[in-house]
Amino acid sequence: MILHPADMQYTQPTTPTPTLPGCEAPACVAAFLASNPPETSVATGAGALSAYERLDADGIAVYVREGCVWEPGIQAVVSIGVYDGFHKGHQALIRETKRAAQARRLPSCVITFNPDPADVLRTAACTSDGTHLPSATEAASAVAVEHTHLMSLAARLEYVARTQVDFIIVIPFTWDFARLSYEDFFSFVQTKLAFPCELHVGSNFRLGYKGAGTIAALSEYGKTIGMDVHPFALVNTGVTGAAGADEPDLCTVFKPSTNALAIDAPSASPELYALGGSASAPEPSTTRSTSPISKPSTRALPVTTISSTYIRKLIANGHVLCAARALTRPYCLEGTVMHGRGKGASMGFATANILTRPDVCVPAAGVYAGFVLADGVLYPAAINMGLPESFSSQAYCALHASNVAHRGFLEAHLIDFDGNLYGRVVSVMVIAYIRSEQHFSSTDELSRCVKANIAAIQTLLGGARKVG
């Protein structure tokens, strides 16, 4: 992608165009960014994990914080989990783990897994009695899970490292490992890794073959080995339907009068267009496609437990600000900048065409305000989620068939950026939903609408900011 200042001249539309509809109000976005600046959401330089030494324990990665000493079987206060998203609940659990470790004057330890056990178990081809082991082909396909992750392993480790726990242990999750009983798991952990004098986990935690290691079972087992089990009450949203926010002005999809939050799914067959839409001329009755985010419904939701699954649902339905409240930071995804059609530049808004990883959770199709991190600078950006109807050649679509088919694609216009990003991996922070996809009767109408969106996003998010 090559962008030049000349590409960034804004013109007012000849007809009124709403800049920021009522989905995520400007005041709410500004308040969220003030208390959760996007600069704190990205790893700068070597990151927090650079303060840890990586050791190998029979193929298991053990990260030891600077100034700490680890040896197999060391006594510790341990927390176990996947920590995808590292949301409010994860943060609270690790804070409690550290507090307990300090009280006992023991090191704190986080044990996680790679790949995510859910990826492996989701595609397990086991019989009811578990006697059939999946084939090599089935095992290989287990990790090819589409749009189910909020974070890569590297990001998970980085955020855990920011808590300054003493040890981080990453256990490879294999088919054989999945068949271990919880007793065998702890027998292995306490001798090879760290002896958990205290185990801190969420109250719905389960471990071991077929999930037999419930909190009750682990508590009883812990008495036999000297391990105290502390189930942690799951963190909830605090406000009915507010998706992790304590403030009543979360965003205008949350209606305090009805305690309702719209999480309506996108249409079953969403139409995909370029940043701002397509210049094709649709029938008059279909000049606007179905919005992935409907007007706030009157359907009330109960107070909801914050979980990675719930946050994925929010993101998949376009409620990125609600998700950010539960995450305590803007949602971030990575992708590689690819060559595109070049049509945006001809209309005055050159775009970076970004292909995301196939396993990353992507927001619903539509236009969003956000930031793109490039060369240590966060550039405000107008982001379109979804593949344009005629994005590129058939050869290109064939090459990236999996990503294209599952809409793991976005276009971003970086405001005030001048440079070339082709082939680079960039981080994209999605801050606020702007509007749904639209059809336009002409290129001029498309151009006016997109430029109005860009101008509004620049007003909402401000200018570029240096990170680090």
Side-chain angles (χ1 to χ4, degrees), residues 21-381:
C23 272
E24 294 184 344
C28 186
V29 174
F32 174 77
L33 292 178
S35 58
N36 301 274
E39 295 91 327
T40 63
S41 299
V42 295
T44 60
L49 198 61
S50 64
Y52 289 72
E53 179 184 7
R54 175 172 173 163
L55 305 176
D56 182 89
D58 295 331
I60 295 175
V62 179
Y63 294 86
V64 182
R65 189 165 65 90
E66 192 175 73
C68 300
V69 177
W70 172 85
E71 60 183 17
I74 188 172
Q75 290 193 338
V77 176
V78 175
S79 178
I80 301 176
V82 176
Y83 303 105
D84 186 31
F86 203 71
H87 54 64
K88 276 185 177 180
H90 296 146
Q91 296 166 33
L93 176 58
I94 292 184
R95 280 197 302 270
E96 178 60 22
T97 302
K98 286 189 62 181
R99 185 205 62 76
Q102 291 166 358
R104 296 189 61 156
R105 297 186 179 181
L106 290 173
S108 55
C109 175
V110 167
I111 295 178
T112 190
F113 307 95
N114 186 53
D116 185 333
D119 293 354
V120 178
L121 299 176
R122 188 180 290 110
T123 55
C126 293
T127 59
S128 59
D129 62 357
T131 57
H132 170 65
L133 283 175
S135 67
T137 301
E138 291 167 336
S141 69
V143 295
V145 180
E146 294 157 349
H147 302 323
T148 57
H149 296 131
L150 300 172
M151 280 181 164
S152 64
L153 173 64
R156 281 194 281 146
L157 295 180
E158 173 62 24
Y159 275 94
V160 172
R162 291 184 189 189
T163 68
Q164 297 186 329
V165 294
D166 297 313
F167 311 133
I168 307 171
I169 297 174
V170 184
I171 298 177
F173 196 89
T174 63
W175 294 108
D176 288 340
F177 194 84
R179 293 171 61 84
L180 285 180
S181 66
Y182 64 86
E183 297 97 335
D184 288 341
F185 170 81
F186 280 106
S187 177
F188 170 79
V189 165
Q190 68 186 11
T191 56
K192 299 289 187 179
L193 301 175
F195 185 91
C197 297
E198 286 190 21
L199 176 65
H200 290 256
V201 291
S203 58
N204 63 344
F205 181 79
R206 298 173 74 95
L207 183 73
Y209 185 53
K210 293 189 175 181
T214 62
I215 293 297
L218 293 178
S219 297
E220 286 302 311
Y221 174 72
K223 295 174 183 178
T224 68
I225 65 170
M227 176 180 72
D228 295 330
V229 177
H230 296 265
F232 188 79
L234 301 180
V235 176
N236 62 42
T237 57
V239 179
T240 302
D246 298 321
E247 300 84 347
D249 66 338
L250 170 69
C251 53
T252 56
V253 293
F254 171 62
K255 299 175 66 178
S257 60
T258 60
N259 280 344
L261 177 70
I263 56 169
D264 305 275
S267 60
S269 301
E271 299 171 285
L272 306 177
Y273 302 97
L275 178 63
S278 167
S280 60
E283 294 296 321
S285 62
T286 59
T287 54
R288 291 182 184 273
S289 61
T290 303
S291 169
I293 304 178
S294 306
K295 291 180 180 179
S297 70
T298 57
R299 176 181 50 169
L301 298 177
V303 173
T304 306
T305 298
I306 294 176
S307 69
S308 300
T309 299
Y310 187 61
I311 293 171
R312 292 184 198 110
K313 289 179 180 178
L314 286 172
I315 292 170
N317 284 281
H319 294 287
V320 293
L321 184 59
C322 298
R325 294 285 188 173
L327 290 168
T328 71
R329 62 188 182 281
Y331 179 60
C332 186
L333 60 161
E334 290 184 342
T336 303
V337 179
M338 315 294 291
H339 286 272
R341 300 164 301 166
K343 291 191 175 182
S346 67
M347 289 186 282
F349 44 87
T351 60
N353 306 285
I354 302 170
L355 189 67
T356 66
R357 288 176 17 200
D359 64 339
V360 70
C361 184
V362 294
V367 178
Y368 298 80
F371 292 95
V372 174
L373 176 66
D375 296 325
V377 177
L378 280 169
Y379 293 94

Side-chain angles (χ1 to χ4, degrees), residues 355-438:
L355 189 67
T356 66
R357 288 176 17 200
D359 64 339
V360 70
C361 184
V362 294
V367 178
Y368 298 80
F371 292 95
V372 174
L373 176 66
D375 296 325
V377 177
L378 280 169
Y379 293 94
I383 301 165
N384 181 74
M385 293 300 312
L387 186 74
E389 191 173 45
S390 302
F391 175 75
S392 191
S393 66
Q394 290 183 347
Y396 180 92
C397 291
L399 182 63
H400 302 289
S402 174
N403 299 77
V404 168
H406 295 93
R407 298 206 331 238
F409 204 93
L410 63 90
E411 293 178 296
H413 172 79
L414 282 64
I415 299 172
D416 294 335
F417 177 83
D418 182 8
N420 186 334
L421 293 175
Y422 289 131
R424 302 269 295 279
V425 176
V426 297
S427 295
V428 181
M429 288 185 187
V430 190
I431 304 294
Y433 170 82
I434 300 298
R435 62 170 175 78
S436 65
E437 301 165 302
Q438 295 179 10

